[in-house]
């Protein structure tokens, strides 16, 4: 019997991206965060690199177009999310030594 798809919280996805940007091997990220698929980590990483961070909020099977995804439930939640994204972007820029997309 086929196992159902696993949904990962946005915080797990962001943590995986943060770990990958810090140079942690994908296998170790999977082990520490309980992620089943190596390709899933790479998918989130490519979304991050392409600036598609809104896609991290999408539930399984939901393909929202930009700006039409789920809304943050509060200003505090949105601020926390943006702070996490900022931290990840700063680490990535520091690691690469140049802005994203250049």
């Amino acid at each position: 019997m086929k196992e159902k798809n696993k949904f990962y919280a946005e915080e797990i996805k962001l943590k995986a991206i943060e770990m990958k940007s810090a140079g942690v091997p994908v296998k170790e990220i999977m082990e520490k965060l309980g992620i089943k698929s190596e390709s899933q980590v790479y998918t989130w990483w490519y979304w991050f690199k392409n600036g598609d961070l809104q896609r991290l909020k999408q539930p399984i099977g939901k393909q929202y177009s930009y700006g039409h995804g789920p809304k943050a439930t509060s200003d505090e939640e949105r601020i926390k999310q943006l702070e996490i994204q900022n931290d990840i972007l700063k680490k990535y820029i520091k690691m690469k030594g140049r802005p994203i997309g250049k």
Side-chain angles (χ1 to χ4, degrees):
M1 186 170 186
K2 187 177 177 186
E3 197 172 317
K4 289 205 175 236
N5 291 341
K6 178 153 174 72
F7 175 77
Y8 298 99
E10 184 179 5
E11 291 79 24
I12 297 290
K13 297 172 187 178
L14 290 170
K15 184 65 179 168
I17 291 168
E18 183 178 351
M19 291 171 75
K20 176 122 175 66
S21 68
V24 177
V26 173
K27 297 281 187 192
E28 188 176 330
I29 294 170
M30 292 170 54
E31 187 177 300
K32 287 187 177 184
L33 299 178
I35 299 168
K36 293 182 178 181
S37 171
E38 185 174 327
S39 65
Q40 189 63 71
V41 176
Y42 284 111
T43 297
W44 299 333
W45 177 249
Y46 293 131
W47 288 350
F48 166 72
K49 283 180 58 176
N50 292 330
D52 293 332
L53 295 175
Q54 79 280 355
R55 295 182 78 178
L56 298 175
K57 293 179 237 161
Q58 293 176 183
I60 293 172
K62 298 291 183 182
Q63 302 302 317
Y64 296 107
S65 53
Y66 182 77
H68 294 97
K71 306 285 187 234
T73 57
S74 70
D75 288 341
E76 290 175 6
E77 183 179 308
R78 183 67 178 145
I79 290 169
K80 180 181 175 191
Q81 174 192 39
L82 290 171
E83 287 173 344
I84 291 170
Q85 290 175 359
N86 255 350
D87 289 341
I88 292 170
L89 288 170
K90 285 177 187 175
K91 288 176 183 176
Y92 182 77
I93 289 169
K94 184 177 179 182
M95 181 182 79
K96 291 294 185 183
R98 58 185 167 76
I100 295 174
K102 297 218 173 178

